[in-house]
Amino acid sequence: MIDLSNKYIEKQKERRGIQALIIWCVLFFTLLLLRDGFMIAVNKNIFTLMAMVCVVTMTTEQVLCLYAFLFPLYFGLPGNYLTILLLLKMLTDIKHVRFTVLGFVATLLVCAYALGQNMVDGKMGIIHMVFVISLVLVFFIFQYQGRIRKNTFVVLYSAGVAALGLIMLVGTLTVHELEDLMSVGSRLGTTSAGYAEKGVMNVIVDPNFYGSFAISAISVAVPLALKGKIGKAGRLMLLLFSVISLSVGIIGLSRAFLLVIVAWFILYLFSQKNVKSALTVLIVLTLICLLVFALVPDALEAVFERFEDADMETGNGRIRLMNQFLSMWGETLASMLFGVGLFNCNVHCTPLQYLYGGGLILVFLLFVYIFCSLKEGNGKFGTGFSMERILPFMVTFVMMCTIPSATMLSSMFPLIYVALVAWKLKD
């Protein structure tokens, strides 16, 4: 009887915690929508205060789930302050963070290297310092030993990505028509289709950056909705959020996203173990696509036009940037070892940004840092690399190779997210 009573109390406590998470997520979303979609002034300090209340009143597990929702929205939030608040929360629960000598040393060396490079390059602003803090925070998240519920984490992240797309779309439609957005000259998320004054905080993100969030959310959400251990309400929400994210991603006309999402569709379909599963996946994916193109009827024509652009051969200038920074990086042995500076390198490829910007030394340190984060985080890294685990990571990594996200926690979070789901979080 005592055990049953304790289980009942625990379930009630968990239910109230989820309800609190939903309320806070809706509140963040509503305020951002009012600010960006309806041009109602909302001071950024309100968001910081709200996050502070959550950090103080919630458990670490709940706060991490809340941040799964907030990370995609960092573009319109005071992200630097929110990152510091999350690190402080992790420090107050340090007893649940497992340290090993190798992991601690790897994190210390990466942070010291990044800090030293910033000092040499004179990059000592808040953005540059928060990058160093972010490295510590990511290591803490992977080493955290508390139970983070996978389903809650995935649903809230998917909701955050869908919320980012909706707010950006609603805000843009106050200034531009949807037909205008389906042209190369004024794509959703670009400066030509902006809806706020320059320098004013708003939820708007480049289509390729949004594509990295969308592909990470969809590639995890759809398999969980189809075959995961999750209730009907959770399945419906995941599919709904996936439709929204896919729709916004298509409206953004990112060629990289379109190619990667098609590749994911094909690989996920052929990864099924039997004909029945393959047919189920084919039907669901077909219905999602039909629904998306019904919502955005001009999308198909715009997609074909996008692939006929003159800048297709140069990757919209990416190849030129790669060659430029390759020349700078290869000038001397010192530049090859130490790089040209992370914050000096804006090559539109995250792995190359680490190589050219941080040099061979930083790349080696990052390999050790990432291995320790995954291997020592009480996760499933090394216990298997099934297609179910590796496919979301693969497609997200490919998408990250089209954007310069090496120095921003929010932009790197899609890859962190799929790694957490694959090798850290439990059902």
Side-chain angles (χ1 to χ4, degrees):
M1 288 294 292
I2 294 176
D3 289 339
L4 290 175
S5 178
N6 288 337
K7 288 182 179 179
Y8 176 77
I9 294 172
E10 196 65 32
K11 284 186 177 181
Q12 288 295 103
K13 186 178 178 181
E14 182 182 335
R15 186 177 292 111
R16 286 194 296 269
I18 293 175
Q19 290 171 350
L21 278 171
I22 294 173
I23 291 170
W24 280 109
C25 289
V26 170
L27 187 55
F28 272 103
F29 170 73
T30 303
L31 290 177
L32 286 170
L33 184 61
L34 289 173
R35 186 193 69 186
D36 288 29
F38 299 94
M39 305 306 168
I40 297 174
V42 180
N43 193 290
K44 67 178 183 179
N45 294 323
I46 293 176
F47 297 109
T48 305
L49 181 61
M50 289 167 57
M52 192 178 299
V53 172
C54 293
V55 165
V56 171
T57 60
M58 290 181 174
T59 65
T60 305
E61 292 90 340
Q62 291 172 329
V63 170
L64 287 171
C65 287
L66 174 66
Y67 270 74
F69 175 81
L70 294 179
F71 273 126
L73 297 166
Y74 255 41
F75 298 94
L77 293 170
N80 293 331
Y81 298 115
L82 267 60
T83 297
I84 294 171
L85 285 173
L86 180 56
L87 179 61
L88 291 174
K89 181 65 176 181
M90 299 295 292
L91 289 172
T92 60
D93 198 17
I94 198 71
K95 63 183 179 181
H96 288 118
V97 179
R98 183 177 67 178
F99 290 98
T100 62
V101 175
L102 181 59
F104 179 78
V105 171
T107 305
L108 188 64
L109 288 175
V110 170
C111 291
Y113 186 92
L115 181 60
Q117 190 181 67
N118 287 345
M119 293 174 66
V120 171
D121 292 339
K123 309 289 187 181
M124 297 300 290
I126 182 68
I127 295 176
H128 312 104
M129 300 309 296
V130 169
F131 169 65
V132 178
I133 293 173
S134 300
L135 293 171
V136 178
L137 177 60
V138 171
F139 185 74
F140 276 16
I141 292 173
F142 276 98
Q143 304 309 308
Y144 182 67
Q145 301 302 296
R147 184 181 181 187
I148 306 170
R149 294 193 174 275
K150 178 180 176 179
N151 289 353
T152 305
F153 196 83
V154 170
V155 170
L156 290 180
Y157 177 78
S158 301
V161 175
L164 170 62
L166 275 177
I167 296 168
M168 181 168 61
L169 184 59
V170 171
T172 305
L173 290 178
T174 61
V175 180
H176 303 271
E177 296 293 332
L178 182 59
E179 293 179 1
D180 298 332
L181 298 179
M182 303 308 295
S183 64
V184 179
S186 56
R187 292 164 56 207
L188 178 68
T190 60
T191 54
S192 58
Y195 58 83
E197 296 179 13
K198 190 175 181 180
V200 177
M201 185 176 290
N202 58 89
V203 179
I204 191 164
V205 56
D206 180 87
N208 291 307
F209 280 85
Y210 185 78
S212 66
F213 280 100
I215 191 64
S216 63
I218 294 169
S219 62
V220 171
V222 171
L224 180 60
L226 292 181
K227 295 191 286 187
K229 297 177 181 178
I230 188 171
K232 290 183 179 179
R235 294 177 193 275
L236 290 174
M237 284 190 290
L238 287 175
L239 292 175
L240 174 62
F241 296 148
S242 296
V243 168
I244 294 171
S245 300
L246 181 59
S247 300
V248 176
I250 291 175
I251 292 173
L253 295 177
S254 164
R255 288 177 299 210
F257 172 71
L258 294 170
L259 290 172
V260 172
I261 196 69
V262 169
W264 175 77
F265 279 171
I266 296 171
L267 290 172
Y268 180 57
L269 178 62
F270 282 96
S271 69
Q272 303 308 303
K273 297 180 180 179
N274 53 63
V275 176
K276 183 180 178 181
S277 296
L279 285 174
T280 302
V281 169
L282 181 61
I283 292 170
V284 171
L285 293 181
T286 302
L287 289 174
I288 290 175
C289 290
L290 290 174
L291 180 57
V292 168
F293 286 114
L295 293 172
V296 193
D298 298 329
L300 200 57
E301 182 181 351
V303 166
F304 286 122
E305 289 180 359
R306 179 72 174 126
F307 280 92
E308 294 175 357
D309 287 349
D311 63 355
M312 186 71 181
E313 291 183 4
T314 63
N316 200 20
R318 287 184 179 85
I319 295 176
R320 178 183 58 80
L321 281 172
M322 288 179 185
N323 291 333
Q324 175 186 333
F325 282 102
L326 174 60
S327 299
M328 294 171 61
W329 176 72
E331 279 185 0
T332 64
L333 180 60
S335 62
M336 293 178 68
L337 289 175
F338 300 102
V340 299
L342 269 178
F343 287 92
N344 297 327
C345 180
N346 67 338
V347 61
H348 282 45
C349 177
T350 299
L352 290 181
Q353 199 176 3
Y354 283 119
L355 177 60
Y356 297 162
L360 292 170
I361 293 177
L362 179 61
V363 170
F364 171 75
L365 292 175
L366 282 174
F367 269 117
V368 179
Y369 167 82
I370 293 169
F371 176 80
C372 292
S373 296
L374 293 173
K375 182 67 175 177
E376 300 173 2
N378 193 30
K380 296 166 280 189
F381 185 72
T383 61
F385 289 91
S386 64
M387 183 60 76
E388 183 181 354
R389 291 182 187 175
I390 200 68
L391 184 55
F393 187 86
M394 285 170 54
V395 292
T396 304
F397 180 81
V398 171
M399 195 66 210
M400 301 294 281
C401 291
T402 68
I403 56 175
S405 62
T407 59
M408 297 177 288
L409 173 61
S410 57
S411 300
M412 279 297 298
F413 194 74
L415 202 59
I416 297 169
Y417 164 74
V418 292
L420 283 170
V421 173
W423 295 298
K424 170 71 176 175
L425 304 184
K426 299 178 180 178
D427 297 328

